[in-house]
Amino acid sequence: MKKIFLFLSLFVIVTLACDVSVNIAPTSAVPTIAETPVLIEPPTTTPEVFISLTQAIPATAVPSVTSIVQPSPVTNTLVTFGRLTLEIPSSVASGASGKEYPRNDSEDAPYWDKTPGHLQVSLNDYYVLQGKFHQPQIYVYPAMPYVELVPAAFESMHRLRNVMNPVAPITADQLPAVPFFNAAQVFASNIQAVSFQNGSGIRFLTEYAQYYAPVNNHELVYHFQGFTNDGEYYIIAILPITAPVLAETSDAGEVIPAGGITYPDINDSNADFQGYYASITDLLSATSPEAFTPSISQLDALIQSMQVAP
């Protein structure tokens, strides 16, 4: 089944005090996913106070499914774009390009184009995987200006702060989302805290959709979000990844590899989609980090190498 990704659909913002939530425009052709979950705690702080609470914590403080596996030594490419410096493992990409985007706060601009000005680093032409739904990108936003300009960024950063200071094991419905995606995460696995040179955050594997979509290698991503230690910068990484137990695409009739999980019949009113996603989560979390392409350990190494200058 082809995924419908409506980046030009209407975006509805509901503001109650400081509580902001993202509403996903439903797709009429397929069942819609559940509404965006309630935040772990209401964002009762003002943006100014909120940003002061984004100080990074040690990666070991966040409950995780598995510990980070240290990668085998590989040749790295050291690159610097603007304030971001990172080392790219050769098994991930052979290089990158970067671009500074100017501020766009036009009232006529759609929310996904609004920015306080940010850095975007692309691994597109150099990445080990080509032709995937998402392009491999790393974004660096000034946190406070982004919060003030885009309410969805406030919600995502609030969630990120909560999962970096958890009181219980983290669940998928508590995780931050990409503020400029008009879609929601259908599942999350391999949840793990990751520290970088001057900050920390959380990574997980996920897929974005506007319906109960099959989990597949065309759309699966390694997703990282984090803050610098001073709370000044907010980092988002979206990196395609594939697993040997997943179908290559969401197309009907696509072959499910041995050990994979069959997608429920979307026309069956009794189809257990939540059970399907729970099984996928368990399967991917139990899969060796080195079995993925690129390996999770090498993507972790890329994130750990990041340094964001003041």
Side-chain angles (χ1 to χ4, degrees), residues 24-25 51 71 78 101 110 112 116 128 134 136 171 190 218 250 291:
I24 304 302
I51 289 299
L78 180 66
Y101 284 81
W112 55 84
V128 65
H134 294 282
T171 58
N190 304 78
H218 184 61
S250 62

Side-chain angles (χ1 to χ4, degrees), residues 97-215:
S97 60
K99 181 177 180 180
E100 293 278 1
Y101 284 81
R103 182 178 180 87
N104 181 0
D105 57 5
S106 170
E107 293 184 359
D108 297 329
Y111 77 92
W112 55 84
D113 281 343
K114 290 189 175 182
T115 175
H118 70 276
L119 170 66
Q120 184 171 326
V121 173
S122 171
L123 284 67
N124 293 2
D125 295 335
Y126 310 93
Y127 201 66
V128 65
L129 298 176
Q130 294 291 310
K132 299 303 181 183
F133 187 84
H134 294 282
Q135 295 295 326
Q137 311 274 3
I138 300 173
Y139 303 80
V140 180
Y141 287 90
M144 186 63 198
Y146 199 23
V147 160
E148 294 173 332
L149 183 62
V150 179
F154 174 72
E155 179 176 348
S156 287
M157 288 190 226
H158 181 78
R159 291 184 177 214
L160 177 58
R161 177 176 66 85
N162 283 342
V163 297
M164 290 172 67
N165 296 275
V167 294
I170 300 167
T171 58
D173 60 355
Q174 298 168 333
L175 293 168
V178 177
F180 45 83
F181 278 4
N182 187 20
Q185 298 154 3
V186 295
F187 86 104
S189 71
N190 304 78
I191 301 170
Q192 173 68 55
V194 180
S195 293
F196 54 96
Q197 296 302 303
N198 63 327
S200 66
I202 193 163
R203 59 90 159 144
F204 48 96
L205 305 189
T206 190
E207 182 175 316
Y208 281 84
Q210 293 186 326
Y211 70 106
Y212 289 117
V215 181

Side-chain angles (χ1 to χ4, degrees), residues 50-56 161 164 227-232:
F50 161 69
I51 289 299
S52 71
L53 298 176
T54 61
Q55 304 301 315
R161 177 176 66 85
M164 290 172 67
F227 293 114
T228 53
N229 289 331
D230 57 11
E232 290 294 317

Side-chain angles (χ1 to χ4, degrees), residues 194-197 222 224 237 239 299-306:
V194 180
S195 293
F196 54 96
Q197 296 302 303
Y222 170 110
F224 172 83
L239 303 168
L299 293 177
D300 285 341
L302 184 153
I303 297 299
Q304 290 168 329
S305 75
M306 293 191 310

Side-chain angles (χ1 to χ4, degrees), residues 6 17 33 89 109 180 206 260 272 290 294:
L6 302 180
I33 60 175
F180 45 83
T206 190
D272 183 9
E290 303 306 314

